Amino acid sequence: MRCGAQAVIDDLFAGLDGDDGRRETLAEGAMILRGFVRARAQSLLAAVGEIAATAPFRHMLTPGGLRMSVAMSNCGGLGWVSDPRGYRYSPVDPENGRQWPAMPDSFVDLARSAAAEAGFADFTPDACLLNRYAAGSRLSLHQDRDEIDRGAPIVSVSLGLPAVFLFGGLKRSDSPARILLVHGDVVVWGGPSRLRYHGVQPIKAGRCPETGDCRINLTLRKAGPPGSA
Ligand code: MD3
Ligand code: FE
């Protein structure tokens, strides 16, 4: 049921719902909850399919005019967009001028419970960026700084093919740690880790039962001002 050699380790923890107790603190404010959504992954992926039926995955252009290798969509009151005018959050899908699909309750619930587990009480996301990685897709080192309220954490969910995540420092030149993220893992990034540089190495080609030949990452965010949503 799972991708790669992780299956043996995962089997040792199988049968436990939700948090299976494997948590790793990467740095102050950054915590991995291994397998946190494994039991709910198929219903999350069904919700991703419904969102993508309304707001299809697309390859956005960077402000420099390059086509991103990761295909993206959004749900929630705000969605992250990039085009030659810049990066920003938009309440509408620029492809059709309509509001992004609503954020499913299951996304809100998992974000709240994962954030609470990592010590961030009362997290309410108003934006969810959906990233779809095919073999070879990557995300170069960057900071997430388009959100107004930097006091709120970001909750990220990994589904499907594994990824080598790059976890850097507060300067682009800080050499990043490499962390394997697999199907069902959740990471919470907040506090002093909120503005760390991070990225994703090119995804290795593979197949898994959950998503086929891709990796899906959900990032649940509070993009709007403090006190809103
Ligand atoms: C560390 N996505 O969408 S999620 C992104 O796996 C993004 O698709 C990656 O980076 C992915 O912006 C990584 C993990 C993540 C998200 C936000 C962070 C790590 C972070 C903010 C600060 C530090
Ligand atoms: Fe990011």
Side-chain angles (χ1 to χ4, degrees):
M1 293 300 286
R2 290 168 296 284
C3 296
Q6 187 69 28
V8 175
I9 296 164
D10 287 351
D11 282 341
L12 295 170
F13 295 92
L16 294 163
D17 193 18
D19 184 4
D20 59 16
R22 287 172 300 152
R23 40 174 98 182
E24 303 159 28
T25 299
L26 289 174
E28 198 182 341
M31 183 175 281
I32 307 191
L33 308 172
R34 296 283 183 193
F36 190 77
V37 297
R38 259 242 311 284
R40 313 173 234 182
Q42 286 313 322
S43 78
L44 295 174
L45 284 165
V48 169
E50 288 177 29
I51 291 161
T54 303
F57 284 100
R58 80 291 304 266
H59 295 272
M60 297 182 189
L61 297 178
T62 66
L66 299 174
R67 175 187 187 268
M68 298 181 78
S69 65
V70 178
M72 297 176 170
S73 183
N74 289 281
C75 66
L78 291 168
W80 186 85
V81 297
S82 176
D83 64 23
R85 288 161 47 208
Y87 305 127
R88 63 195 170 278
Y89 279 93
S90 168
V92 297
D93 181 345
E95 293 290 317
N96 58 24
R98 296 157 61 140
Q99 291 183 336
W100 298 103
M103 188 166 336
D105 289 341
S106 59
F107 287 20
V108 178
D109 292 346
L110 95 79
R112 287 186 74 78
S113 58
E117 198 78 12
F120 299 95
D122 291 322
F123 175 54
T124 304
D126 59 12
C128 179
L129 174 62
L130 287 63
N131 292 325
R132 188 185 67 197
Y133 296 75
S137 298
R138 61 191 291 270
L139 212 52
S140 55
L141 272 187
H142 67 278
Q143 294 174 297
D144 288 17
R145 41 187 326 139
D146 299 318
E147 302 77 19
I148 295 166
D149 181 1
R150 304 275 170 74
I154 292 178
V155 173
S156 100
V157 180
S158 291
L159 298 166
L161 292 181
V164 177
F165 177 73
L166 300 170
F167 183 60
L170 293 174
K171 292 182 302 195
R172 189 186 293 277
S173 58
D174 294 337
S175 74
R178 285 169 169 71
I179 297 151
L180 188 69
L181 294 178
V182 306
H183 180 73
D185 288 349
V186 170
V187 195
V188 181
W189 320 87
S193 289
R194 177 67 182 72
L195 287 178
R196 281 179 182 261
Y197 279 89
H198 58 278
V200 178
Q201 284 191 354
I203 299 292
K204 195 167 137 36
R207 286 204 66 80
C208 65
E210 296 86 3
T211 59
D213 58 2
C214 69
R215 170 175 189 256
I216 303 276
N217 175 265
L218 313 176
T219 50
L220 293 132
R221 302 151 184 265
K222 174 154 179 49
S228 70

